[in-house]
Structures are given as structure tokens and as C-alpha cells.
């Protein structure tokens, strides 16, 4: 029986669909059954998807709440995802991924020592042009107020009255010689160097503050690994770690 089937199968010819006729080539390739089958399956799949979406829209509860509603909003009929506020800078992420808290603390202490050394060298002279402090002089009568001369009272020349530091008296100027540069070009060069030093000091202070925030965030993440009940009190920001309140645990 099997040999008869093989002989019968060998006599059957494979069905070949004809191609597009020559005078109809302008209409493109002639669609075959397999092409129609693919197109029909795609159409049916899309119809089922539309039916499922219609049913979901009909069964939807308008008062239903979903947590994604907090982070999404409808703008001109289109759902837009609200951008998340970054709580960490790229530098903080890089340091926290690659370095340990001991290394961060070591770098922070090193920066603090450099800051203290620079402050002792600069003495914080002329940090701001505006004077923050006030010097009040008391006199006995209104006449003395009208005749009050600041240069005479401070016993210095009028050109040095505006200085808050390095203000020698007239006797000092007469008896002692001036030490240091007095040329305007040299004074301007020294002022520029001092301004550059203050800029470096400000950058080091910012770096030390950044290291302090990174160490706090790393320590917070380590504390969260403990299996203790905790409640978040304050969210994490770029300049401060998240604040948690831990459950008080009695130690034996």
C-alpha cells in the first residue's frame, strides 16, 4: 500500500500559480494565496486588537485611580510623562558607584586642610567690595558731630580711610618706610593674583561640600540595608540625602 502511495505521489504535479501577465505589469506583482493569507491574518489581528480596546474603554471606570496618573499628564489630547527631578548629579553618581565612603571622607578631609591653609594665607581680605560691618563712633555733642573728621579721628591720611585693613597711622608713615610694591602696575598684578586665589578657594569649598553630601548619601544607603522598620521623612535632593526615621530598638 505504501509503495502505491509513493507511486501516486510521484505522478502528481506541483501546483504553480501563474505570474502577472505581460500587459498587466504596470499593476505590479500578482498577489498569490500566501500573500493574501498574510494580509488577511494581519487584518484579523488588528481587528481583534481594536475590539479589545473598545471593550476596555467601555468597561473603564472614570473614577478609577492608577499610580501612573501622578507622573503622567494629558496635554493637547496626548499623554505626556512628567520629567523626573534629578536628585543626584552625574559626578555624584560616578563617585558613589566607584568609590567607598572611606575614600570620600579621606578626600574631604584633604580638601578641608587645603581650605584652612588657603584661608590662613589670604586672611579673607577684600572678599566682597561692600562692607558688611559698621564702625560706630560716639561723641558728646552735636557740634562735634558736625565737625567730625574720620581721617583725623583715625589719625591717618584721607586716602586710607576706605580701607578695612592695612591702615597705618600718620606717625607710622612718617617714621617707617613703605615695604612692598607701590607701582600701580604691580599693585594691579597682585590684585589679580589675589582674585585668582579667592576663586580657587571658592572652588575648593564647593568641592568639599559636594564630598560631604556624597559621603552622607553613601552612609544613608548603608543604613537602609539594616532590617529595621523605617519611614522616609524627607526626599533626597542634589544637596542633601534622604532623611529616614528608624524604629527605636532596645539593645540588650
Amino acid at each position: 500500500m505504501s509503495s502505491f502511495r509513493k507511486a501516486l505521489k510521484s505522478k502528481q504535479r506541483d501546483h504553480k500559480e501563474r505570474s502577472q501577465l505581460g500587459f498587466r505589469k504596470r499593476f505590479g506583482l500578482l498577489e498569490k494565496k500566501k500573500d493574501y493569507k498574510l494580509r488577511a491574518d494581519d487584518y484579523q489581528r488588528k481587528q481583534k486588537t481594536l475590539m479589545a480596546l473598545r471593550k476596555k474603554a467601555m468597561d473603564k471606570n472614570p473614577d478609577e485611580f492608577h499610580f501612573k496618573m501622578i507622573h503622567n499628564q494629558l496635554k493637547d489630547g496626548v499623554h505626556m510623562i512628567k520629567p523626573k527631578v534629578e536628585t543626584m548629579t552625574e559626578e555624584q553618581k560616578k563617585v558613589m558607584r566607584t568609590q567607598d565612603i572611606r575614600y570620600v571622607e579621606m578626600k574631604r578631609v584633604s580638601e578641608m586642610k587645603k581650605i584652612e591653609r588657603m584661608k590662613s594665607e589670604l586672611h579673607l581680605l577684600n572678599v566682597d567690595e561692600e562692607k558688611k560691618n559698621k564702625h560706630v563712633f560716639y561723641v558728646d555733642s552735636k557740634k562735634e558731630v558736625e565737625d567730625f573728621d574720620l581721617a583725623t579721628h583715625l589719625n591717618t591720611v584721607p586716602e586710607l580711610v576706605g580701607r578695612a585693613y592695612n591702615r597705618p597711622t600718620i606717625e607710622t608713615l612718617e617714621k617707617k618706610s613703605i615695604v612692598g610694591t607701590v607701582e600701580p602696575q604691580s599693585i594691579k598684578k597682585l590684585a589679580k593674583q589675589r582674585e585668582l586665589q579667592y576663586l580657587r578657594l571658592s572652588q575648593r569649598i564647593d568641592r568639599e561640600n559636594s564630598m560631604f553630601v556624597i559621603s552622607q548619601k553613601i552612609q544613608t544607603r548603608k543604613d537602609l540595608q539594616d532590617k529595621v522598620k523605617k519611614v522616609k521623612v524627607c526626599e533626597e535632593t542634589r544637596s542633601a540625602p534622604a532623611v529616614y526615621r528608624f524604629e527605636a530598638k532596645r539593645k540588650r
Side-chain angles (χ1 to χ4, degrees):
M1 191 68 180
S2 59
S3 59
F4 176 73
R5 287 178 180 176
K6 289 180 181 179
L8 186 62
K9 188 176 181 180
S10 61
K11 291 182 179 180
Q12 290 179 351
R13 295 170 56 188
D14 295 332
H15 177 71
K16 294 182 180 179
E17 297 184 1
R18 65 186 180 88
S19 60
Q20 186 71 280
L21 298 177
F23 66 92
R24 291 178 56 87
K25 283 187 178 180
R26 64 181 182 276
F27 297 114
L29 296 173
L30 183 64
E31 187 181 35
K32 306 297 189 296
K33 184 176 180 179
K34 61 179 181 180
D35 302 325
Y36 164 76
K37 183 64 175 169
L38 291 174
R39 186 163 55 84
D41 291 343
D42 182 62
Y43 175 78
Q44 292 293 335
R45 185 170 58 254
K46 290 178 179 177
Q47 288 298 317
K48 288 180 181 178
T49 304
L50 290 174
M51 285 285 286
L53 291 174
R54 289 194 192 99
K55 187 176 184 302
K56 189 175 182 180
M58 290 174 64
D59 297 340
K60 182 181 178 181
N61 182 8
D63 298 329
E64 184 181 1
F65 172 78
H66 197 275
F67 281 101
K68 285 190 177 180
M69 295 178 182
I70 301 173
H71 306 292
N72 296 356
Q73 61 180 352
L74 196 65
K75 188 175 182 181
D76 298 333
V78 181
H79 281 280
M80 305 290 290
I81 300 176
K82 293 181 182 179
K84 293 184 179 179
V85 180
E86 289 291 336
T87 58
M88 296 177 61
T89 61
E90 291 298 326
E91 183 181 359
Q92 290 178 354
K93 291 179 182 178
K94 184 178 179 181
V95 174
M96 291 180 67
R97 283 195 299 264
T98 57
Q99 306 297 343
D100 188 47
I101 188 170
R102 295 179 183 176
Y103 172 79
V104 177
E105 281 294 326
M106 182 189 70
K107 296 295 290 183
R108 189 176 74 85
V109 172
S110 175
E111 289 293 334
M112 286 179 61
K113 290 181 180 179
K114 291 177 182 177
I115 289 170
E116 292 298 328
R117 185 164 61 250
M118 291 184 70
K119 282 183 178 180
S120 64
E121 292 174 357
L122 294 172
H123 302 291
L124 297 179
L125 304 178
N126 285 348
V127 177
D128 296 322
E129 294 297 331
E130 299 179 0
K131 295 180 181 179
K132 295 182 179 180
N133 300 327
K134 294 182 179 179
H135 193 166
V136 182
F137 297 95
Y138 296 93
V139 293
D140 297 330
S141 62
K142 293 183 179 179
K143 185 177 180 181
E144 292 183 9
V145 174
E146 295 173 357
D147 300 337
F148 186 79
D149 185 20
L150 186 58
T152 305
H153 188 81
L154 296 175
N155 193 19
T156 186
V157 293
E159 290 79 4
L160 301 179
V161 169
R163 284 191 177 186
Y165 67 97
N166 194 15
R167 189 171 54 200
T169 61
I170 296 176
E171 289 80 3
T172 305
L173 293 174
E174 290 175 351
K175 295 178 181 179
K176 297 183 179 180
S177 59
I178 299 175
V179 179
T181 57
V182 293
E183 298 178 1
Q185 188 175 0
S186 300
I187 294 174
K188 188 180 294 185
K189 184 178 179 181
L190 290 174
K192 190 173 182 180
Q193 291 177 356
R194 185 170 63 245
E195 185 179 355
L196 181 61
Q197 287 294 101
Y198 280 121
L199 178 61
R200 290 175 180 171
L201 176 62
S202 175
Q203 291 174 351
R204 289 194 179 277
I205 292 173
D206 294 339
R207 196 177 301 122
E208 190 270 333
N209 292 333
S210 176
M211 289 289 180
F212 179 69
V213 173
I214 290 172
S215 64
Q216 282 190 323
K217 290 184 177 181
I218 294 175
Q219 186 62 43
T220 303
R221 279 162 172 73
K222 285 191 173 183
D223 294 339
L224 290 176
Q225 294 177 359
D226 297 337
K227 296 181 179 180
V228 182
K229 290 184 180 180
K230 46 197 168 288
V231 179
K232 183 181 284 188
V233 179
C234 184
E235 292 289 340
E236 183 178 320
T237 60
R238 285 174 175 261
S239 58
V243 179
Y244 291 86
R245 185 173 66 248
F246 292 85
E247 183 183 14
K249 192 175 181 180
R250 183 179 179 183
K251 293 184 179 180
R252 294 182 180 179

